[in-house]
């Protein structure tokens, strides 16, 4: 197999704190190993429309602490078409790129898998998403920072919830996965987490009300994972109004606040380790794998596993929220 001489790097999908730390690690590890780096702007859009520029070590100076992504990001419709991917391939070859490092979530890695299958190119993925919803990895880059942002916000909401003796439904992101809601609830001492994974098992709202969560307190905070099917926190607030009018519920949607901010040390370290490993993987001849982390060890996860298997948050952790909120 021919030695890789030039890599392209892009960030795609929703941004996540720590993406910059990953860009820095990939770039500097590549240069350290004599590999050229081309930065591709706006995710796959930059490949399709040829927004590609060479990166030096200086291009990634002073970014480890910054949220967002210096490469910009996008969700690119053109890349979902065969014609768009063909243009992307031509631009990639014209720029002399032999391999790609793609940092993003399941949509971005699914795009990478299709592209790699069609054009026989080496692609290594890094799990960049606040949702923590990729298969084969215990953690994704950005999740820890988002979790800490949620905890900080809930701590503040609790002050007013306690003063007014109200029920607050705090909606967090997650893209149909309940990690942020569940672990956000544990970390902020919330009374409950309502997550999409449990939706078909029980009526989580009725369960919460029926177990008398206000017996020992006059306020409550419930972390609700966003859920377009049920309407998330707004949908639940409507149900409370109709079914449990004795409660005075308020809704706070944390929204894109959760995607911003300086990455935590944990995210910077994870991104740096994974970024360096992406170059090791390419030098070892690995392709079409995402770098994951399992029990503290970096592992290679085939794209098919990373994108198809969504691990279910632990039922025991749901029990912990319940037990600790009595
Ligand atoms: O995947 C990251 C994420 O923030 C999800 O949690 C959320 O559902 C989605 O992106 C929001 O996407 P957008 O910023 O395009 O509205």
């Amino acid at each position: 197999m021919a030695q890789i001489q030039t890599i392209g790097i892009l960030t795609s999908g929703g941004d996540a704190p720590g993406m910059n730390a990953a860009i820095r690690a990939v770039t500097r590890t590549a240069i350290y190993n004599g590999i050229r780096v081309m930065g591709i702007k706006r995710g796959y859009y930059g490949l399709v429309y040829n927004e590609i520029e060479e990166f030096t070590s200086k291009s990634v100076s002073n970014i480890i602490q910054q949220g967002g992504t210096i490469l910009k990001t996008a969700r690119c419709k053109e890349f979902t078409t065969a014609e768009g991917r063909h243009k992307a391939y031509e631009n990639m070859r014209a720029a002399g790129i032999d391999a790609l490092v793609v940092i993003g979530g399941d949509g971005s890695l699914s795009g990478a898998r299709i592209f790699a299958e069609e054009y026989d190119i080496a692609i290594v993925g890094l799990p960049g998403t606040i949702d923590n919803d990729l298969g084969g990895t215990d953690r994704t880059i950005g999740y820890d920072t988002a979790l800490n942002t949620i905890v900080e916000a809930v701590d503040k909401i609790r002050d007013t919830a306690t003063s007014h003796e109200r029920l607050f439904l705090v909606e967090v992101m997650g893209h149909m996965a309940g990690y942020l809601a569940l672990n956000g609830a544990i970390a902020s001492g919330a009374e409950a987490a309502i997550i999409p994974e449990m939706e078909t098992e029980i009526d989580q709202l009725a369960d919460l009300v029926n177990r008398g969560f206000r017996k020992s307190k006059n306020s409550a905070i419930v972390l609700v994972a966003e859920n377009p099917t049920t309407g998330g926190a707004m949908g639940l607030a409507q149900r409370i109004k109709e079914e449990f009018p004795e409660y005075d519920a308020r809704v706070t949607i944390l929204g894109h606040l959760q995607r911003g901010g300086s990455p935590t040390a944990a995210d910077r370290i994870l991104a740096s380790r994974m970024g360096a490993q992406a170059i090791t993987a390419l030098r070892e001849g690995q392709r079409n794998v995402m770098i994951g982390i399992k029990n503290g060890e970096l592992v290679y996860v085939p794209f098919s596993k990373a994108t198809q298997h969504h691990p279910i948050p632990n039922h025991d952790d749901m029990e912990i929220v319940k037990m600790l909120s009595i």
Side-chain angles (χ1 to χ4, degrees):
M1 200 196 48
Q3 187 76 26
I4 286 171
Q5 288 177 349
T6 306
I7 62 150
I9 177 169
L10 61 86
T11 48
S12 163
D15 64 339
M19 278 184 164
N20 280 329
I23 295 168
R24 171 181 178 269
V26 169
T27 302
R28 293 210 166 146
T29 311
I31 292 171
Y32 180 85
N33 285 287
I35 299 172
R36 276 176 85 210
V37 180
M38 305 300 281
I40 300 159
K41 290 278 170 75
R42 301 181 176 80
Y44 295 117
Y45 181 95
L47 262 191
V48 177
Y49 293 100
N50 210 15
E51 292 187 22
I52 303 171
E53 67 183 53
E54 180 154 5
F55 262 27
T56 62
S57 177
K58 202 157 170 250
S59 312
V60 295
S61 284
N62 200 19
I63 63 167
I64 194 169
Q65 78 286 12
Q66 289 175 25
T69 158
I70 59 159
L71 282 172
K72 316 278 184 210
T73 185
R75 303 190 196 273
C76 177
K77 278 209 184 80
E78 292 87 337
F79 196 71
T80 61
T81 67
E83 200 195 342
R85 289 193 295 276
H86 184 67
K87 269 167 83 181
Y89 179 70
E90 304 249 285
N91 287 332
M92 188 184 138
R93 299 314 289 187
I97 297 170
D98 320 300
L100 282 180
V101 176
V102 171
I103 309 170
D106 59 352
S108 311
L109 298 183
S110 297
R113 181 170 56 80
I114 296 167
F115 194 40
E117 277 166 13
E118 264 174 5
Y119 290 101
D120 190 29
I121 39 182
I123 308 186
V124 167
L126 295 184
T129 168
I130 64 165
D131 302 337
N132 205 40
D133 62 345
L134 292 167
T137 187
D138 292 338
R139 287 284 167 266
T140 58
I141 297 164
Y143 172 65
D144 185 68
T145 307
L147 208 46
N148 278 284
T149 302
I150 290 168
V151 169
E152 202 187 322
V154 173
D155 286 350
K156 289 183 175 157
I157 292 167
R158 189 175 286 287
D159 290 343
T160 178
T162 314
S163 306
H164 283 269
E165 303 186 300
R166 276 174 178 159
L167 161 65
F168 265 85
L169 301 170
V170 182
E171 183 177 300
V172 300
M173 283 185 165
H175 190 234
M176 296 308 282
Y179 287 96
L180 287 170
L182 177 54
N183 286 315
I186 294 177
S188 62
E191 276 60 38
I194 294 191
I195 62 173
E197 291 86 347
M198 300 276 290
E199 201 178 287
T200 52
E201 276 181 43
I202 56 163
D203 180 343
Q204 298 174 84
L205 182 64
D207 176 60
L208 175 67
V209 176
N210 293 338
R211 75 180 144 94
F213 71 100
R214 282 187 91 176
K215 275 190 189 134
S216 62
K217 353 176 161 171
N218 290 328
S219 68
I221 292 187
V222 179
L223 261 67
V224 182
E226 63 178 354
N227 187 336
T229 321
T230 60
M234 292 299 269
L236 290 179
Q238 189 56 34
R239 273 194 62 196
I240 290 174
K241 219 174 180 181
E242 287 158 14
E243 298 169 37
F244 311 103
E246 65 276 24
Y247 292 104
D248 183 19
R250 291 288 188 278
V251 171
T252 304
I253 298 176
L254 295 185
H256 289 81
L257 182 89
Q258 297 160 90
R259 291 225 302 250
S262 180
T264 57
D267 270 332
R268 296 181 197 197
I269 293 166
L270 183 67
S272 300
R273 288 182 69 196
M274 286 180 160
Q277 192 67 32
I279 298 304
T280 306
L282 286 170
R283 294 179 76 229
E284 282 173 357
Q286 293 283 343
R287 41 167 57 207
N288 309 338
V289 290
M290 178 192 82
I291 310 295
I293 189 158
K294 276 275 161 198
N295 306 316
E297 298 289 328
L298 296 176
V299 292
Y300 297 141
V301 187
F303 284 155
S304 50
K305 185 175 174 195
T307 54
Q308 273 169 27
H309 171 72
H310 288 227
I312 309 249
N314 196 328
H315 274 71
D316 292 347
D317 290 346
M318 286 298 277
E319 207 47 39
I320 286 178
V321 179
K322 230 183 218 183
M323 288 189 304
L324 301 190
S325 70
I326 53 166

